[in-house]
Amino acid sequence: MDIRINEVGLRDGLQSQGKTLTVDERLALAEALAGAGLRYMEAGSFVSPKAVPQMAGTEDLFPRLPSPERIQYAALVPNMKGYERAVAAGARTVNVVLSVTETMNQKNINMSLARTAEVCEQIVARAAGEGVNAQAYLAVAFECPFEGPVAPEVVARYGALMRDAGAGKVIVADTIGAADPAKVDAVLERLLEQVDVARVSCHFHDTRGMALANIHAAVLAGVREFDASIGGLGGCPFSPGASGNVATEDVALMLQSMGLDTGIDPLDLVPVVREAERLTGTALGGKSFRWLSRQYGKTRGGQGDDQ
Ligand code: COA
Ligand code: ZN
């Protein structure tokens, strides 16, 4: 495998949906994703169900996730309580989230930036001691919705902090989809001075239609792991595709076209997008979905034709 695709639809995608899926429905989506060859997924978060009702019941989901022996399922944890809940539910990979601006941490998890950094360090260190893989998201790494543009030096500094704490991965997250390829270059140039590229991953939203271009820039910089969400799930349920994560099928197709192996056949994702549409009641699909649907219809028959 040349490039690892980490599916985040079950967490980043579902948490922003107007409709809250049941644990059975979330499991159905996980099974469809597993069936299409996804081997890395962020399956849910252990946050306050008052803050994010869509993620309630994640402890019931984790023990039921398919093929845990060959699929790595990560759990997002905002604090030590979340870490403990995740480990108790059987999670072996946890993701901490360090937003790199003060206001974003306050709005997201009601903690200061300094306190969040401390808590993330503590969780990562504890995970290392308990044989749990910990990964660190650097959220709003390009622009904060409250404080505006973020300097690449800031991202590099928090990347180094998480590296020192022992994070297995440092994930640069363009939470609001404000990056462009030049900004990706600038951030990665600084970050890669601090963190080995093999431990860096990128998370792009497609709000401004630049997510694939950003992934391409990151590939050229040597990054070999990307987050993506099936059908572009995420963002505002009333404007499909407007601000969701980059669609998994778009990423898989672009990388396949470039001759890079992801272990995923984008055509296999067509029925998964349809299943995600059925479950969420939302029209989904990345930029390539119509084309992929037609190819699916031609080569696999049945209901592939797009309207
Ligand atoms: N899981 C479940 N419940 C949690 C929790 C966790 N990880 N952390 C705290 N809580 C509970 C507390 O036990 C307390 O419960 P109570 O009201 O029944 O006593 C309540 O939440 C408030 O706890 P407190 O420590 O005061 O937290 P808070 O109100 O400042 O909220 C978070 C902090 C982190 C729990 C909340 O902001 C949150 O879950 N945010 C997640 C946001 C998110 O998922 N963003 C997207 C991904 S980064
Ligand atoms: Zn995101």
Side-chain angles (χ1 to χ4, degrees):
M1 193 195 298
D2 299 316
I3 303 228
R4 179 188 288 188
I5 295 181
N6 178 47
E7 170 64 39
V8 299
L10 289 162
R11 201 281 303 171
D12 207 357
L14 292 183
Q15 77 172 10
S16 52
Q17 291 298 296
K19 180 181 170 200
T20 297
L21 271 59
T22 64
V23 169
D24 283 346
E25 289 171 327
R26 290 159 68 188
L27 184 62
L29 184 54
E31 280 167 351
L33 289 161
L38 273 309
R39 292 290 168 266
Y40 301 87
M41 299 187 212
E42 190 178 50
S45 59
F46 290 89
V47 299
S48 160
K50 282 181 204 147
V52 187
Q54 293 90 337
M55 291 290 109
T58 301
E59 39 263 283
D60 300 325
L61 176 67
F62 255 79
R64 296 171 66 194
L65 289 165
S67 309
E69 67 292 345
R70 61 193 169 87
I71 301 180
Q72 184 186 91
Y73 294 106
L76 184 149
V77 301
N79 52 22
M80 201 55 89
K81 176 167 178 165
Y83 172 81
E84 286 167 359
R85 286 176 62 208
V87 171
R92 305 306 299 159
T93 297
V94 296
N95 295 337
V96 298
V97 182
L98 175 54
S99 299
V100 298
T101 66
E102 181 62 35
T103 318
M104 190 66 204
N105 284 291
Q106 298 282 3
K107 299 270 183 192
N108 191 34
I109 54 172
N110 198 22
M111 286 197 283
S112 70
L113 172 53
R115 179 69 190 135
T116 309
E118 242 170 54
V119 167
C120 288
E121 282 182 288
Q122 285 163 4
I123 294 173
V124 170
R126 178 164 167 192
E130 296 178 354
V132 173
N133 178 30
Q135 315 186 118
Y137 276 85
L138 303 178
V140 298
F142 295 89
E143 189 175 314
C144 169
F146 310 104
E147 295 187 22
V150 170
E153 292 71 23
V154 173
V155 181
R157 180 165 10 110
Y158 288 106
L161 191 77
M162 290 298 103
R163 172 206 64 199
D164 289 346
K169 282 265 154 58
V170 171
I171 304 151
V172 182
D174 182 19
T175 311
I176 60 168
D180 60 57
K183 293 197 183 91
V184 171
D185 280 346
V187 166
L188 288 177
E189 193 185 324
R190 286 305 171 93
L191 182 67
L192 297 183
E193 289 167 2
Q194 302 295 332
V195 185
D196 184 345
V197 72
R199 287 170 68 182
V200 170
S201 173
C202 291
H203 173 109
F204 293 113
H205 282 250
D206 209 17
T207 318
R208 303 181 199 183
M210 291 185 229
L212 283 181
N214 294 336
I215 288 178
H216 184 235
V219 168
L220 294 181
V223 174
R224 291 292 175 263
E225 177 168 338
F226 296 94
D227 284 1
S229 173
I230 191 72
L233 189 62
C236 172
F238 302 107
S239 49
S243 55
N245 291 76
V246 65
T248 309
E249 61 274 22
D250 286 348
V251 179
L253 180 62
M254 181 180 83
L255 296 174
Q256 183 194 58
S257 304
M258 291 168 70
L260 295 165
D261 178 25
T262 64
I264 294 156
D265 179 344
L267 283 187
D268 289 338
L269 297 172
V270 170
V272 189
V273 174
R274 295 211 177 103
E275 175 70 347
E277 286 189 316
R278 186 184 71 79
L279 291 165
T280 59
T282 307
L284 296 172
K287 295 187 171 66
S288 66
F289 186 62
R290 278 173 164 266
W291 183 86
L292 281 172
S293 290
R294 283 198 298 276
Q295 301 308 306
Y296 187 90
K298 279 185 210 157
T299 58
R300 304 194 185 178
Q303 341 121 13
D305 293 329
D306 205 16
Q307 55 282 22

